[in-house]
mmCIF file with all atom_site columns, all heavy atoms in Angstrom:
data_model
loop_
_atom_site.group_PDB
_atom_site.id
_atom_site.type_symbol
_atom_site.label_atom_id
_atom_site.label_alt_id
_atom_site.label_comp_id
_atom_site.label_asym_id
_atom_site.label_entity_id
_atom_site.label_seq_id
_atom_site.pdbx_PDB_ins_code
_atom_site.Cartn_x
_atom_site.Cartn_y
_atom_site.Cartn_z
_atom_site.occupancy
_atom_site.B_iso_or_equiv
_atom_site.pdbx_formal_charge
_atom_site.auth_seq_id
_atom_site.auth_comp_id
_atom_site.auth_asym_id
_atom_site.auth_atom_id
_atom_site.pdbx_PDB_model_num
ATOM 1   N N   . LEU R 1 13 ? 9.052  0.108   -15.777 1.00 0.00 ? 26 LEU R N   1
ATOM 2   C CA  . LEU R 1 13 ? 10.136 0.195   -16.760 1.00 0.00 ? 26 LEU R CA  1
ATOM 3   C C   . LEU R 1 13 ? 10.948 -1.102  -16.815 1.00 0.00 ? 26 LEU R C   1
ATOM 4   O O   . LEU R 1 13 ? 11.336 -1.544  -17.895 1.00 0.00 ? 26 LEU R O   1
ATOM 5   C CB  . LEU R 1 13 ? 11.028 1.391   -16.447 1.00 0.00 ? 26 LEU R CB  1
ATOM 6   C CG  . LEU R 1 13 ? 10.394 2.756   -16.727 1.00 0.00 ? 26 LEU R CG  1
ATOM 7   C CD1 . LEU R 1 13 ? 11.219 3.872   -16.103 1.00 0.00 ? 26 LEU R CD1 1
ATOM 8   C CD2 . LEU R 1 13 ? 10.219 2.971   -18.226 1.00 0.00 ? 26 LEU R CD2 1
ATOM 9   N N   . ALA R 1 14 ? 11.181 -1.720  -15.668 1.00 0.00 ? 27 ALA R N   1
ATOM 10  C CA  . ALA R 1 14 ? 11.910 -2.995  -15.631 1.00 0.00 ? 27 ALA R CA  1
ATOM 11  C C   . ALA R 1 14 ? 11.108 -4.090  -16.334 1.00 0.00 ? 27 ALA R C   1
ATOM 12  O O   . ALA R 1 14 ? 11.669 -4.904  -17.085 1.00 0.00 ? 27 ALA R O   1
ATOM 13  C CB  . ALA R 1 14 ? 12.219 -3.386  -14.187 1.00 0.00 ? 27 ALA R CB  1
ATOM 14  N N   . ALA R 1 15 ? 9.800  -4.125  -16.100 1.00 0.00 ? 28 ALA R N   1
ATOM 15  C CA  . ALA R 1 15 ? 8.950  -5.129  -16.748 1.00 0.00 ? 28 ALA R CA  1
ATOM 16  C C   . ALA R 1 15 ? 8.948  -4.938  -18.259 1.00 0.00 ? 28 ALA R C   1
ATOM 17  O O   . ALA R 1 15 ? 9.041  -5.911  -19.021 1.00 0.00 ? 28 ALA R O   1
ATOM 18  C CB  . ALA R 1 15 ? 7.533  -5.049  -16.191 1.00 0.00 ? 28 ALA R CB  1
ATOM 19  N N   . LEU R 1 16 ? 8.849  -3.700  -18.708 1.00 0.00 ? 29 LEU R N   1
ATOM 20  C CA  . LEU R 1 16 ? 8.841  -3.422  -20.145 1.00 0.00 ? 29 LEU R CA  1
ATOM 21  C C   . LEU R 1 16 ? 10.195 -3.735  -20.768 1.00 0.00 ? 29 LEU R C   1
ATOM 22  O O   . LEU R 1 16 ? 10.267 -4.257  -21.881 1.00 0.00 ? 29 LEU R O   1
ATOM 23  C CB  . LEU R 1 16 ? 8.435  -1.978  -20.397 1.00 0.00 ? 29 LEU R CB  1
ATOM 24  C CG  . LEU R 1 16 ? 6.975  -1.667  -20.039 1.00 0.00 ? 29 LEU R CG  1
ATOM 25  C CD1 . LEU R 1 16 ? 6.729  -0.168  -20.069 1.00 0.00 ? 29 LEU R CD1 1
ATOM 26  C CD2 . LEU R 1 16 ? 6.025  -2.405  -20.969 1.00 0.00 ? 29 LEU R CD2 1
ATOM 27  N N   . ARG R 1 17 ? 11.259 -3.433  -20.062 1.00 0.00 ? 30 ARG R N   1
ATOM 28  C CA  . ARG R 1 17 ? 12.600 -3.749  -20.564 1.00 0.00 ? 30 ARG R CA  1
ATOM 29  C C   . ARG R 1 17 ? 12.760 -5.252  -20.740 1.00 0.00 ? 30 ARG R C   1
ATOM 30  O O   . ARG R 1 17 ? 13.313 -5.724  -21.736 1.00 0.00 ? 30 ARG R O   1
ATOM 31  C CB  . ARG R 1 17 ? 13.664 -3.214  -19.604 1.00 0.00 ? 30 ARG R CB  1
ATOM 32  C CG  . ARG R 1 17 ? 15.066 -3.454  -20.101 1.00 0.00 ? 30 ARG R CG  1
ATOM 33  C CD  . ARG R 1 17 ? 16.094 -2.854  -19.168 1.00 0.00 ? 30 ARG R CD  1
ATOM 34  N NE  . ARG R 1 17 ? 17.419 -3.016  -19.727 1.00 0.00 ? 30 ARG R NE  1
ATOM 35  C CZ  . ARG R 1 17 ? 18.526 -2.745  -19.094 1.00 0.00 ? 30 ARG R CZ  1
ATOM 36  N NH1 . ARG R 1 17 ? 18.489 -2.245  -17.882 1.00 0.00 ? 30 ARG R NH1 1
ATOM 37  N NH2 . ARG R 1 17 ? 19.686 -2.926  -19.674 1.00 0.00 ? 30 ARG R NH2 1
ATOM 38  N N   . ALA R 1 18 ? 12.216 -6.028  -19.779 1.00 0.00 ? 31 ALA R N   1
ATOM 39  C CA  . ALA R 1 18 ? 12.301 -7.491  -19.834 1.00 0.00 ? 31 ALA R CA  1
ATOM 40  C C   . ALA R 1 18 ? 11.281 -8.098  -20.794 1.00 0.00 ? 31 ALA R C   1
ATOM 41  O O   . ALA R 1 18 ? 11.331 -9.293  -21.077 1.00 0.00 ? 31 ALA R O   1
ATOM 42  C CB  . ALA R 1 18 ? 12.113 -8.065  -18.435 1.00 0.00 ? 31 ALA R CB  1
ATOM 43  N N   . GLY R 1 19 ? 10.346 -7.279  -21.279 1.00 0.00 ? 32 GLY R N   1
ATOM 44  C CA  . GLY R 1 19 ? 9.291  -7.808  -22.141 1.00 0.00 ? 32 GLY R CA  1
ATOM 45  C C   . GLY R 1 19 ? 8.281  -8.638  -21.375 1.00 0.00 ? 32 GLY R C   1
ATOM 46  O O   . GLY R 1 19 ? 7.589  -9.472  -21.954 1.00 0.00 ? 32 GLY R O   1
ATOM 47  N N   . ASP R 1 20 ? 8.181  -8.416  -20.081 1.00 0.00 ? 33 ASP R N   1
ATOM 48  C CA  . ASP R 1 20 ? 7.280  -9.171  -19.212 1.00 0.00 ? 33 ASP R CA  1
ATOM 49  C C   . ASP R 1 20 ? 5.910  -8.497  -19.204 1.00 0.00 ? 33 ASP R C   1
ATOM 50  O O   . ASP R 1 20 ? 5.626  -7.635  -18.379 1.00 0.00 ? 33 ASP R O   1
ATOM 51  C CB  . ASP R 1 20 ? 7.872  -9.233  -17.793 1.00 0.00 ? 33 ASP R CB  1
ATOM 52  C CG  . ASP R 1 20 ? 7.065  -10.082 -16.846 1.00 0.00 ? 33 ASP R CG  1
ATOM 53  O OD1 . ASP R 1 20 ? 5.921  -10.470 -17.189 1.00 0.00 ? 33 ASP R OD1 1
ATOM 54  O OD2 . ASP R 1 20 ? 7.572  -10.365 -15.744 1.00 0.00 ? 33 ASP R OD2 1
ATOM 55  N N   . MET R 1 21 ? 5.056  -8.896  -20.146 1.00 0.00 ? 34 MET R N   1
ATOM 56  C CA  . MET R 1 21 ? 3.755  -8.257  -20.298 1.00 0.00 ? 34 MET R CA  1
ATOM 57  C C   . MET R 1 21 ? 2.833  -8.559  -19.120 1.00 0.00 ? 34 MET R C   1
ATOM 58  O O   . MET R 1 21 ? 1.989  -7.727  -18.762 1.00 0.00 ? 34 MET R O   1
ATOM 59  C CB  . MET R 1 21 ? 3.076  -8.681  -21.606 1.00 0.00 ? 34 MET R CB  1
ATOM 60  C CG  . MET R 1 21 ? 3.775  -8.150  -22.843 1.00 0.00 ? 34 MET R CG  1
ATOM 61  S SD  . MET R 1 21 ? 3.825  -6.344  -22.922 1.00 0.00 ? 34 MET R SD  1
ATOM 62  C CE  . MET R 1 21 ? 5.500  -6.015  -22.455 1.00 0.00 ? 34 MET R CE  1
ATOM 63  N N   . ALA R 1 22 ? 2.990  -9.710  -18.478 1.00 0.00 ? 35 ALA R N   1
ATOM 64  C CA  . ALA R 1 22 ? 2.158  -10.029 -17.309 1.00 0.00 ? 35 ALA R CA  1
ATOM 65  C C   . ALA R 1 22 ? 2.442  -9.039  -16.181 1.00 0.00 ? 35 ALA R C   1
ATOM 66  O O   . ALA R 1 22 ? 1.526  -8.491  -15.567 1.00 0.00 ? 35 ALA R O   1
ATOM 67  C CB  . ALA R 1 22 ? 2.411  -11.466 -16.851 1.00 0.00 ? 35 ALA R CB  1
ATOM 68  N N   . ALA R 1 23 ? 3.714  -8.794  -15.909 1.00 0.00 ? 36 ALA R N   1
ATOM 69  C CA  . ALA R 1 23 ? 4.080  -7.842  -14.847 1.00 0.00 ? 36 ALA R CA  1
ATOM 70  C C   . ALA R 1 23 ? 3.681  -6.420  -15.239 1.00 0.00 ? 36 ALA R C   1
ATOM 71  O O   . ALA R 1 23 ? 3.158  -5.668  -14.412 1.00 0.00 ? 36 ALA R O   1
ATOM 72  C CB  . ALA R 1 23 ? 5.574  -7.915  -14.560 1.00 0.00 ? 36 ALA R CB  1
ATOM 73  N N   . ALA R 1 24 ? 3.902  -6.046  -16.495 1.00 0.00 ? 37 ALA R N   1
ATOM 74  C CA  . ALA R 1 24 ? 3.540  -4.699  -16.955 1.00 0.00 ? 37 ALA R CA  1
ATOM 75  C C   . ALA R 1 24 ? 2.033  -4.489  -16.832 1.00 0.00 ? 37 ALA R C   1
ATOM 76  O O   . ALA R 1 24 ? 1.582  -3.435  -16.379 1.00 0.00 ? 37 ALA R O   1
ATOM 77  C CB  . ALA R 1 24 ? 3.995  -4.488  -18.401 1.00 0.00 ? 37 ALA R CB  1
ATOM 78  N N   . PHE R 1 25 ? 1.248  -5.487  -17.204 1.00 0.00 ? 38 PHE R N   1
ATOM 79  C CA  . PHE R 1 25 ? -0.208 -5.387  -17.130 1.00 0.00 ? 38 PHE R CA  1
ATOM 80  C C   . PHE R 1 25 ? -0.668 -5.155  -15.690 1.00 0.00 ? 38 PHE R C   1
ATOM 81  O O   . PHE R 1 25 ? -1.539 -4.325  -15.436 1.00 0.00 ? 38 PHE R O   1
ATOM 82  C CB  . PHE R 1 25 ? -0.840 -6.666  -17.692 1.00 0.00 ? 38 PHE R CB  1
ATOM 83  C CG  . PHE R 1 25 ? -2.338 -6.669  -17.655 1.00 0.00 ? 38 PHE R CG  1
ATOM 84  C CD1 . PHE R 1 25 ? -3.067 -5.948  -18.573 1.00 0.00 ? 38 PHE R CD1 1
ATOM 85  C CD2 . PHE R 1 25 ? -3.013 -7.408  -16.692 1.00 0.00 ? 38 PHE R CD2 1
ATOM 86  C CE1 . PHE R 1 25 ? -4.459 -5.946  -18.541 1.00 0.00 ? 38 PHE R CE1 1
ATOM 87  C CE2 . PHE R 1 25 ? -4.399 -7.409  -16.643 1.00 0.00 ? 38 PHE R CE2 1
ATOM 88  C CZ  . PHE R 1 25 ? -5.125 -6.686  -17.573 1.00 0.00 ? 38 PHE R CZ  1
ATOM 89  N N   . GLN R 1 26 ? -0.078 -5.865  -14.747 1.00 0.00 ? 39 GLN R N   1
ATOM 90  C CA  . GLN R 1 26 ? -0.485 -5.744  -13.345 1.00 0.00 ? 39 GLN R CA  1
ATOM 91  C C   . GLN R 1 26 ? -0.181 -4.365  -12.766 1.00 0.00 ? 39 GLN R C   1
ATOM 92  O O   . GLN R 1 26 ? -0.784 -3.965  -11.776 1.00 0.00 ? 39 GLN R O   1
ATOM 93  C CB  . GLN R 1 26 ? 0.192  -6.824  -12.497 1.00 0.00 ? 39 GLN R CB  1
ATOM 94  C CG  . GLN R 1 26 ? -0.289 -8.226  -12.802 1.00 0.00 ? 39 GLN R CG  1
ATOM 95  C CD  . GLN R 1 26 ? -1.802 -8.363  -12.682 1.00 0.00 ? 39 GLN R CD  1
ATOM 96  O OE1 . GLN R 1 26 ? -2.416 -7.855  -11.756 1.00 0.00 ? 39 GLN R OE1 1
ATOM 97  N NE2 . GLN R 1 26 ? -2.404 -9.042  -13.649 1.00 0.00 ? 39 GLN R NE2 1
ATOM 98  N N   . LEU R 1 27 ? 0.736  -3.638  -13.371 1.00 0.00 ? 40 LEU R N   1
ATOM 99  C CA  . LEU R 1 27 ? 1.113  -2.316  -12.862 1.00 0.00 ? 40 LEU R CA  1
ATOM 100 C C   . LEU R 1 27 ? 0.267  -1.184  -13.440 1.00 0.00 ? 40 LEU R C   1
ATOM 101 O O   . LEU R 1 27 ? 0.414  -0.038  -13.046 1.00 0.00 ? 40 LEU R O   1
ATOM 102 C CB  . LEU R 1 27 ? 2.606  -2.064  -13.110 1.00 0.00 ? 40 LEU R CB  1
ATOM 103 C CG  . LEU R 1 27 ? 3.516  -2.946  -12.261 1.00 0.00 ? 40 LEU R CG  1
ATOM 104 C CD1 . LEU R 1 27 ? 4.945  -2.926  -12.796 1.00 0.00 ? 40 LEU R CD1 1
ATOM 105 C CD2 . LEU R 1 27 ? 3.482  -2.519  -10.804 1.00 0.00 ? 40 LEU R CD2 1
ATOM 106 N N   . PHE R 1 28 ? -0.633 -1.516  -14.370 1.00 0.00 ? 41 PHE R N   1
ATOM 107 C CA  . PHE R 1 28 ? -1.573 -0.522  -14.875 1.00 0.00 ? 41 PHE R CA  1
ATOM 108 C C   . PHE R 1 28 ? -2.741 -0.402  -13.903 1.00 0.00 ? 41 PHE R C   1
ATOM 109 O O   . PHE R 1 28 ? -3.072 -1.342  -13.180 1.00 0.00 ? 41 PHE R O   1
ATOM 110 C CB  . PHE R 1 28 ? -2.085 -0.911  -16.268 1.00 0.00 ? 41 PHE R CB  1
ATOM 111 C CG  . PHE R 1 28 ? -1.157 -0.530  -17.383 1.00 0.00 ? 41 PHE R CG  1
ATOM 112 C CD1 . PHE R 1 28 ? -0.332 -1.470  -17.963 1.00 0.00 ? 41 PHE R CD1 1
ATOM 113 C CD2 . PHE R 1 28 ? -1.113 0.776   -17.857 1.00 0.00 ? 41 PHE R CD2 1
ATOM 114 C CE1 . PHE R 1 28 ? 0.528  -1.124  -18.989 1.00 0.00 ? 41 PHE R CE1 1
ATOM 115 C CE2 . PHE R 1 28 ? -0.254 1.138   -18.884 1.00 0.00 ? 41 PHE R CE2 1
ATOM 116 C CZ  . PHE R 1 28 ? 0.568  0.192   -19.452 1.00 0.00 ? 41 PHE R CZ  1
ATOM 117 N N   . SER R 1 29 ? -3.386 0.749   -13.914 1.00 0.00 ? 42 SER R N   1
ATOM 118 C CA  . SER R 1 29 ? -4.518 1.010   -13.016 1.00 0.00 ? 42 SER R CA  1
ATOM 119 C C   . SER R 1 29 ? -5.692 0.088   -13.355 1.00 0.00 ? 42 SER R C   1
ATOM 120 O O   . SER R 1 29 ? -5.745 -0.508  -14.427 1.00 0.00 ? 42 SER R O   1
ATOM 121 C CB  . SER R 1 29 ? -4.960 2.459   -13.149 1.00 0.00 ? 42 SER R CB  1
ATOM 122 O OG  . SER R 1 29 ? -5.540 2.666   -14.419 1.00 0.00 ? 42 SER R OG  1
#
Side-chain angles (χ1 to χ4, degrees):
L26 289 167
L29 292 169
R30 183 177 184 188
D33 184 349
M34 292 299 103
F38 180 77
Q39 292 305 317
L40 291 165
F41 278 101
S42 69

